mmCIF file of all heavy atoms in Angstrom:
data_model
loop_
_atom_site.group_PDB
_atom_site.id
_atom_site.type_symbol
_atom_site.label_atom_id
_atom_site.label_comp_id
_atom_site.label_asym_id
_atom_site.label_seq_id
_atom_site.Cartn_x
_atom_site.Cartn_y
_atom_site.Cartn_z
ATOM 1 N N ARG I 113 122.637 42.900 155.971
ATOM 2 C CA ARG I 113 122.234 42.279 154.717
ATOM 3 C C ARG I 113 122.286 40.768 154.863
ATOM 4 O O ARG I 113 123.159 40.223 155.499
ATOM 5 C CB ARG I 113 123.109 42.749 153.560
ATOM 6 C CG ARG I 113 124.585 42.501 153.734
ATOM 7 C CD ARG I 113 125.331 42.963 152.510
ATOM 8 N NE ARG I 113 125.474 44.420 152.466
ATOM 9 C CZ ARG I 113 125.218 45.135 151.385
ATOM 10 N NH1 ARG I 113 124.788 44.570 150.294
ATOM 11 N NH2 ARG I 113 125.410 46.419 151.396
ATOM 12 N N ARG I 119 120.013 44.732 150.935
ATOM 13 C CA ARG I 119 120.397 45.509 152.111
ATOM 14 C C ARG I 119 119.225 45.703 153.060
ATOM 15 O O ARG I 119 118.092 45.883 152.661
ATOM 16 C CB ARG I 119 121.008 46.846 151.718
ATOM 17 C CG ARG I 119 120.103 47.807 150.997
ATOM 18 C CD ARG I 119 120.910 48.930 150.388
ATOM 19 N NE ARG I 119 121.535 49.823 151.356
ATOM 20 C CZ ARG I 119 120.876 50.745 152.042
ATOM 21 N NH1 ARG I 119 119.577 50.869 151.911
ATOM 22 N NH2 ARG I 119 121.503 51.549 152.856
ATOM 23 N N ASP I 141 133.740 57.249 151.468
ATOM 24 C CA ASP I 141 133.208 55.879 151.543
ATOM 25 C C ASP I 141 133.782 55.033 150.419
ATOM 26 O O ASP I 141 134.332 55.553 149.455
ATOM 27 C CB ASP I 141 131.674 55.890 151.508
ATOM 28 C CG ASP I 141 131.074 54.642 152.164
ATOM 29 O OD1 ASP I 141 131.839 53.756 152.600
ATOM 30 O OD2 ASP I 141 129.837 54.541 152.234
ATOM 31 N N ASP I 142 133.630 53.733 150.563
ATOM 32 C CA ASP I 142 134.207 52.831 149.579
ATOM 33 C C ASP I 142 133.444 52.854 148.253
ATOM 34 O O ASP I 142 134.029 52.948 147.192
ATOM 35 C CB ASP I 142 134.303 51.392 150.137
ATOM 36 C CG ASP I 142 132.988 50.884 150.740
ATOM 37 O OD1 ASP I 142 131.963 51.613 150.699
ATOM 38 O OD2 ASP I 142 132.984 49.749 151.262
ATOM 39 N N ILE I 143 132.103 52.770 148.341
ATOM 40 C CA ILE I 143 131.334 52.612 147.102
ATOM 41 C C ILE I 143 129.984 53.305 147.205
ATOM 42 O O ILE I 143 129.372 53.353 148.273
ATOM 43 C CB ILE I 143 131.163 51.101 146.774
ATOM 44 C CG1 ILE I 143 130.548 50.887 145.389
ATOM 45 C CG2 ILE I 143 130.345 50.390 147.831
ATOM 46 C CD1 ILE I 143 130.678 49.443 144.880
ATOM 47 N N PHE I 144 129.568 53.895 146.103
ATOM 48 C CA PHE I 144 128.261 54.525 145.989
ATOM 49 C C PHE I 144 127.400 53.565 145.166
ATOM 50 O O PHE I 144 127.602 53.408 143.971
ATOM 51 C CB PHE I 144 128.417 55.865 145.263
ATOM 52 C CG PHE I 144 127.248 56.791 145.373
ATOM 53 C CD1 PHE I 144 126.987 57.461 146.565
ATOM 54 C CD2 PHE I 144 126.427 57.036 144.292
ATOM 55 C CE1 PHE I 144 125.922 58.356 146.676
ATOM 56 C CE2 PHE I 144 125.360 57.927 144.395
ATOM 57 C CZ PHE I 144 125.106 58.588 145.578
ATOM 58 N N ASP I 145 126.484 52.911 145.868
ATOM 59 C CA ASP I 145 125.664 51.898 145.207
ATOM 60 C C ASP I 145 124.271 52.509 145.007
ATOM 61 O O ASP I 145 124.066 53.259 144.061
ATOM 62 C CB ASP I 145 125.663 50.640 146.076
ATOM 63 C CG ASP I 145 124.937 49.466 145.447
ATOM 64 O OD1 ASP I 145 124.791 49.453 144.218
ATOM 65 O OD2 ASP I 145 124.506 48.551 146.175
ATOM 66 N N THR I 146 123.322 52.249 145.890
ATOM 67 C CA THR I 146 122.030 52.942 145.765
ATOM 68 C C THR I 146 122.175 54.414 146.143
ATOM 69 O O THR I 146 121.421 55.263 145.675
ATOM 70 C CB THR I 146 120.968 52.318 146.695
ATOM 71 O OG1 THR I 146 121.374 52.497 148.051
ATOM 72 C CG2 THR I 146 120.782 50.839 146.403
ATOM 73 N N GLY I 147 123.118 54.712 147.028
ATOM 74 C CA GLY I 147 123.335 56.086 147.482
ATOM 75 C C GLY I 147 122.674 56.399 148.812
ATOM 76 O O GLY I 147 122.903 57.457 149.391
ATOM 77 N N HIS I 148 121.868 55.463 149.327
ATOM 78 C CA HIS I 148 121.124 55.749 150.565
ATOM 79 C C HIS I 148 122.052 55.997 151.763
ATOM 80 O O HIS I 148 121.764 56.841 152.604
ATOM 81 C CB HIS I 148 120.147 54.616 150.872
ATOM 82 C CG HIS I 148 118.987 54.574 149.923
ATOM 83 N ND1 HIS I 148 118.041 55.578 149.875
ATOM 84 C CD2 HIS I 148 118.639 53.689 148.962
ATOM 85 C CE1 HIS I 148 117.148 55.294 148.939
ATOM 86 N NE2 HIS I 148 117.492 54.153 148.357
ATOM 87 N N THR I 149 123.150 55.259 151.828
ATOM 88 C CA THR I 149 124.063 55.431 152.964
ATOM 89 C C THR I 149 124.552 56.878 153.046
ATOM 90 O O THR I 149 124.465 57.513 154.096
ATOM 91 C CB THR I 149 125.279 54.484 152.833
ATOM 92 O OG1 THR I 149 124.798 53.138 152.758
ATOM 93 C CG2 THR I 149 126.212 54.623 154.024
ATOM 94 N N LYS I 173 128.802 52.524 141.291
ATOM 95 C CA LYS I 173 128.232 51.453 140.476
ATOM 96 C C LYS I 173 127.223 52.034 139.501
ATOM 97 O O LYS I 173 126.342 52.782 139.894
ATOM 98 C CB LYS I 173 127.544 50.448 141.393
ATOM 99 C CG LYS I 173 128.009 49.031 141.173
ATOM 100 C CD LYS I 173 127.205 48.069 141.994
ATOM 101 C CE LYS I 173 128.010 47.505 143.131
ATOM 102 N NZ LYS I 173 127.283 46.415 143.823
ATOM 103 N N GLU I 193 128.177 45.070 139.342
ATOM 104 C CA GLU I 193 128.575 43.748 139.816
ATOM 105 C C GLU I 193 128.995 43.880 141.265
ATOM 106 O O GLU I 193 129.335 44.976 141.716
ATOM 107 C CB GLU I 193 129.762 43.232 139.005
ATOM 108 C CG GLU I 193 129.542 43.329 137.512
ATOM 109 C CD GLU I 193 130.048 42.113 136.786
ATOM 110 O OE1 GLU I 193 129.662 40.994 137.195
ATOM 111 O OE2 GLU I 193 130.832 42.285 135.851
ATOM 112 N N PHE I 194 128.999 42.779 141.993
ATOM 113 C CA PHE I 194 129.401 42.833 143.391
ATOM 114 C C PHE I 194 130.918 42.706 143.483
ATOM 115 O O PHE I 194 131.490 41.730 143.022
ATOM 116 C CB PHE I 194 128.714 41.744 144.214
ATOM 117 C CG PHE I 194 128.818 42.012 145.680
ATOM 118 C CD1 PHE I 194 127.914 42.863 146.310
ATOM 119 C CD2 PHE I 194 129.842 41.453 146.441
ATOM 120 C CE1 PHE I 194 128.029 43.156 147.665
ATOM 121 C CE2 PHE I 194 129.960 41.740 147.794
ATOM 122 C CZ PHE I 194 129.054 42.589 148.408
ATOM 123 N N VAL I 195 131.558 43.713 144.052
ATOM 124 C CA VAL I 195 133.019 43.742 144.083
ATOM 125 C C VAL I 195 133.555 43.682 145.509
ATOM 126 O O VAL I 195 132.876 44.093 146.455
ATOM 127 C CB VAL I 195 133.560 45.007 143.381
ATOM 128 C CG1 VAL I 195 133.288 44.951 141.890
ATOM 129 C CG2 VAL I 195 132.985 46.282 143.994
ATOM 130 N N LEU I 200 136.543 46.785 150.504
ATOM 131 C CA LEU I 200 135.186 46.261 150.273
ATOM 132 C C LEU I 200 135.105 44.791 150.650
ATOM 133 O O LEU I 200 136.003 44.011 150.334
ATOM 134 C CB LEU I 200 134.804 46.435 148.804
ATOM 135 C CG LEU I 200 134.623 47.883 148.384
ATOM 136 C CD1 LEU I 200 135.451 48.187 147.165
ATOM 137 C CD2 LEU I 200 133.152 48.187 148.136
ATOM 138 N N ASP I 201 133.997 44.420 151.273
ATOM 139 C CA ASP I 201 133.895 43.063 151.801
ATOM 140 C C ASP I 201 132.700 42.308 151.228
ATOM 141 O O ASP I 201 131.749 42.893 150.719
ATOM 142 C CB ASP I 201 133.724 43.107 153.323
ATOM 143 C CG ASP I 201 132.320 43.569 153.709
ATOM 144 O OD1 ASP I 201 131.944 44.697 153.325
ATOM 145 O OD2 ASP I 201 131.585 42.793 154.358
HETATM 146 P P1 IMP R 417 124.413 52.242 149.279
HETATM 147 O O1 IMP R 417 123.809 52.801 150.519
HETATM 148 O O2 IMP R 417 123.479 51.377 148.516
HETATM 149 O O3 IMP R 417 125.079 53.291 148.419
HETATM 150 O O4 IMP R 417 125.494 51.206 149.738
HETATM 151 C C1 IMP R 417 126.705 51.569 150.184
HETATM 152 C C2 IMP R 417 127.316 50.443 150.993
HETATM 153 O O5 IMP R 417 126.884 49.127 150.558
HETATM 154 C C3 IMP R 417 128.791 50.479 150.808
HETATM 155 O O6 IMP R 417 129.410 51.303 151.764
HETATM 156 C C4 IMP R 417 129.179 49.032 150.951
HETATM 157 O O7 IMP R 417 129.393 48.721 152.310
HETATM 158 C C5 IMP R 417 127.973 48.244 150.486
HETATM 159 N N1 IMP R 417 128.145 47.782 149.084
HETATM 160 C C6 IMP R 417 127.424 48.156 148.005
HETATM 161 N N2 IMP R 417 127.845 47.543 146.895
HETATM 162 C C7 IMP R 417 128.880 46.759 147.270
HETATM 163 C C8 IMP R 417 129.760 45.862 146.554
HETATM 164 O O8 IMP R 417 129.704 45.672 145.330
HETATM 165 N N3 IMP R 417 130.714 45.230 147.294
HETATM 166 C C9 IMP R 417 130.833 45.415 148.643
HETATM 167 N N4 IMP R 417 130.044 46.245 149.345
HETATM 168 C C10 IMP R 417 129.068 46.905 148.664
#
Side-chain angles (χ1 to χ4, degrees):
R113 57 178 77 227
R119 64 193 293 284
D141 204 358
D142 51 2
I143 188 166
F144 195 74
D145 185 22
T146 64
H148 289 294
T149 302
K173 233 186 252 188
E193 310 221 52
F194 196 84
V195 292
L200 292 128
D201 74 300

